[in-house]
Amino acid sequence: AETPVQVVVKDTASEADATLRGLRELAQEGVSAVIGPIVHAEAVVQEAQAAGVPIISITQKEGVTGVGDHVFRNFITPPAQVRSLVAYALTRLGTSQAVILYPDEPYGRTFMGLFRDEFQARGGEVLGAVAYSPSATDFSAPIKKLLRFSQKVPKESRADRPDSRSSGRRSRIEEKDYDLAFDFQAVFIPDEPGKAGMLVPQLAYHDVKGVYLLGTNLWHSEALIQHAGPYVQGAIMPDAFLATSNEPAVVRFVSAFEQTFQTTPGSIEAMAYDTAKILSDVASRPGVRFRSDVTAALHASE
């Protein structure tokens, strides 16, 4: 028989003080383990560690699990994203050279550094990493810096084309006599969908075409399609969950979730479900009675 599990819920209101207060209340109420929070994890993990309460946070904040042996995490982190993305780009797409266009702010700089290091550690070459202002709407200047990694390739002669004219007239807007061939096969853009949706069409405008577009999990968004649908077809990004997957476990979860809540689950819901299942499995093991047992069992499962 399955061990009954009682669930106690505390609303954090997405505020650090409320999150800390909720954790303290749960510790006093004698819970065996805590799932969450999604935000302000750094506000509570020290408290959980001091109280000896095993906690599985749903956050990508770096350093959270370094607080102590009672602190765990179940989330897709930046290093995990980059490892998956780079492995796919190198082994499945056959890329060997890449460039990076990134916003000059913490998120962009973090992913730029991770991607550059991972790509090169696996034998690839990052030809350049070009920053742009987070507030930019015109990306001409940074995009043009990528053109130094290209060569002009002559197009087919106009005289050889079936539709050529002998009148000698030239269009007011002349067609270019060349295409661009790039030294790189992929462009990595670690930015949110609204900004990426402005940037990617400008890549096409400047003839940066025929290369793979790589993004972070933020790209897994309808907003990107709305902003730049025709330009992001075939774009590649990592994520922790795909609701339309044909995997049996995913199909079962999505079906049950939709029947219960009349909406389709996203990554957060999927990771929360996985986390709850992990703890449920741990609680059902023989000999797991105290918080220390839960902590030990979680470490044994890593």
Side-chain angles (χ1 to χ4, degrees):
E2 292 186 359
T3 303
V5 176
Q6 180 182 359
V7 178
V8 181
V9 178
K10 299 292 182 181
D11 183 5
T12 68
S14 295
E15 297 177 356
D17 290 344
T19 303
L20 183 57
R21 183 167 58 252
L23 186 282
R24 287 172 175 167
E25 291 173 356
L26 291 171
Q28 291 172 359
E29 292 169 16
V31 299
S32 299
V34 172
I35 295 175
I38 295 174
V39 295
H40 300 303
E42 67 280 7
V44 300
V45 290
Q46 292 277 5
E47 189 85 8
Q49 176 65 27
V53 179
I55 181 171
I56 305 179
S57 59
I58 303 176
T59 179
Q60 67 176 12
K61 289 277 188 181
E62 289 298 316
V64 167
T65 56
V67 169
D69 62 339
H70 294 294
V71 181
F72 303 85
R73 169 173 53 201
N74 186 25
F75 203 81
I76 178 171
T77 63
Q81 288 191 54
V82 169
R83 284 194 298 270
S84 176
L85 186 64
V86 167
Y88 188 88
L90 290 172
T91 61
R92 296 288 294 276
L93 304 180
T95 63
S96 56
Q97 290 87 27
V99 293
I100 307 170
L101 276 174
Y102 67 98
D104 193 10
E105 44 79 42
Y107 183 89
R109 290 192 294 269
T110 295
F111 272 94
M112 179 277 293
L114 289 169
F115 184 92
R116 178 195 58 207
D117 294 347
E118 182 72 12
F119 198 82
Q120 296 183 159
R122 286 176 169 263
E125 181 182 7
V126 174
L127 300 179
V130 181
Y132 55 83
S133 169
S135 60
T137 55
D138 180 356
F139 303 94
S140 298
I143 290 173
K144 286 178 179 177
K145 292 181 180 179
L146 301 183
L147 300 184
R148 69 180 185 269
F149 304 113
S150 68
Q151 298 84 39
K152 294 179 180 180
V153 179
K155 285 186 176 180
E156 176 187 10
S157 171
R158 283 194 182 89
D160 296 334
R161 295 180 186 175
D163 62 347
S164 62
R165 300 291 184 265
S166 59
S167 64
R169 297 178 183 176
R170 299 179 70 87
S171 169
R172 290 182 62 188
I173 303 177
E174 295 185 357
E175 182 181 2
K176 285 184 300 188
D177 294 317
Y178 62 86
D179 289 319
L180 291 178
F182 293 94
D183 300 331
F184 54 88
Q185 300 88 41
V187 182
F188 177 50
I189 306 172
D191 209 342
E192 53 89 16
K195 189 57 63 69
M198 287 191 289
L199 193 160
V200 170
Q202 294 184 42
L203 283 173
Y205 177 81
H206 289 282
D207 292 323
V208 182
K209 304 173 183 177
V211 297
Y212 294 110
L213 299 174
L214 310 179
T216 68
N217 69 317
L218 296 182
W219 281 34
H220 189 186
S221 165
E222 286 297 322
L224 184 64
I225 303 299
Q226 293 169 4
H227 281 94
Y231 301 97
V232 293
Q233 297 303 309
I236 298 156
M237 74 286 303
D239 207 347
F241 176 71
L242 181 65
T244 56
S245 171
N246 292 322
E247 290 289 332
V250 176
V251 172
R252 290 194 299 270
F253 166 65
V254 171
S255 176
F257 191 96
E258 289 178 340
Q259 289 179 13
T260 303
F261 300 104
Q262 288 74 55
T263 188
T264 301
S267 294
I268 295 296
E269 290 84 359
M271 283 183 281
Y273 172 82
D274 279 347
T275 307
K277 192 171 188 309
I278 290 169
L279 280 179
S280 177
D281 291 344
V282 164
S284 67
R285 296 178 187 177
V288 175
R289 299 178 58 193
F290 306 107
R291 291 171 176 172
S292 58
D293 299 328
V294 174
T295 297
L298 287 173
H299 279 296
S301 301
E302 290 181 328

